[in-house]
Each structure stands twice: as structure tokens, then as C-alpha cells.
Amino acid sequence: MKQYLIITLFLFSGTISFAQSKSERQVADAIQQLRKAMVDGDSLALLHISSPLLSYGHSSGVVQNQQEFVSKIANGSSDFVTIDLSEQTISVSGNTAIVRHTFIAATNDGGKPGTVKLHILTIWQKSHRKWLLLARQAVKIS
């Protein structure tokens, strides 16, 4: 009986910790669309998933608007070979979502292989039933 109770409590607590609202799932899907578009260098997908008001901050301090962000990825000067996201948290309040995660990527910027390890904060805004990346800021992991 004691084992049954422990297993039941474990399963129940796991269900609670992994539960996501519909909005959180939609934001998580949008994040994966962004990740894929960045790896693929897909300018149309990047334009589709980001806001025209985008403020995209890099760990170097450079801040780009939507056109600059899309252009750098589409032309290969910012080339992501792989992007892995972990430790992701999503908080939704109305039509705004705050997302934090760890971002580890293999890059090939200008033909030069590299690796980046960052903590990322993104702000997403729901517009016309679609979540769009509104702002992003990266910080190097020390």
C-alpha cells in the first residue's frame, strides 16, 4: 500500500510540473518554429514568426530590428548549424509571454565554425491569434 501511495504521488506531482496551458503550448510551438527558421536560414519563416517591431538584442550589445535580424540569418553572416534549447520557462499574461531558456548553438558565421552558449530572454505578443517574437535579449553564460 505504501509503494502504491508513493508511486501515485510521484506521478501526480510529475503531471502538475509538466502541465502547460493552451497559450503556453502555442508559445512553445512558436519558439520551435523560430529555432527551425534560424537553423534553416528561412527568411519568410523568420518574417512570419517575428513582429515588424522586433528588437533583437545580442550578447555583444548589438540590437537589430526585424529586417536586420532576418537579413543576417538569411544571407549566412549569422549561420546556425544547430540550436539546442534547455531549461525553458514560459509565463503568459494575456497577449504577452515571457520566455527564458539556455541557448547552445553550433555556428558557421562567415565560414568560421564556432559555438555559442547563452541565456536568452524573449518577449512574445499574440496578434491575430498568432504568437510573434517582439523582443529578445541574450547574455553570455560565464
Side-chain angles (χ1 to χ4, degrees):
M1 179 69 169
K2 187 176 182 179
Q3 287 178 327
Y4 176 74
L5 180 60
I6 291 170
I7 291 170
T8 302
L9 287 173
F10 176 76
L11 291 174
F12 182 69
S13 67
T15 302
I16 292 173
S17 66
F18 292 110
Q20 283 186 316
S21 71
K22 180 180 177 183
S23 292
E24 289 167 337
R25 284 190 305 275
Q26 290 171 339
V27 172
D29 289 344
I31 292 162
Q32 288 307 314
Q33 291 171 31
L34 174 64
R35 186 196 62 75
K36 183 178 182 333
M38 290 173 71
V39 170
D40 293 346
D42 185 338
S43 60
L44 291 177
L46 290 168
L47 287 169
H48 185 71
I49 199 69
S50 62
S51 168
L53 302 174
L54 178 65
S55 177
Y56 191 92
H58 293 269
S59 61
S60 66
V62 171
V63 178
Q64 297 171 323
N65 63 29
Q66 184 191 44
Q67 290 301 320
E68 293 164 331
F69 161 68
V70 170
S71 175
K72 291 283 186 180
I73 291 179
N75 72 19
S77 59
S78 184
D79 184 9
F80 292 98
V81 178
T82 63
I83 297 174
D84 295 310
L85 306 176
S86 63
E87 302 174 54
Q88 183 164 277
T89 61
I90 300 171
S91 298
V92 176
S93 178
N95 290 333
T96 304
I98 298 170
V99 178
R100 290 184 180 273
H101 52 241
T102 299
F103 177 104
I104 299 175
T107 61
N108 194 27
D109 298 350
K112 183 179 177 185
T115 303
V116 294
K117 296 178 183 177
L118 306 167
H119 288 302
I120 303 288
L121 167 68
T122 56
I123 309 296
W124 295 77
Q125 184 177 48
K126 192 170 189 178
S127 176
H128 306 291
R129 292 185 259 159
K130 185 172 111 177
W131 288 96
L132 298 176
L133 179 62
L134 182 63
R136 183 249 201 197
Q137 186 58 58
V139 177
K140 289 179 185 171
I141 297 175
S142 49

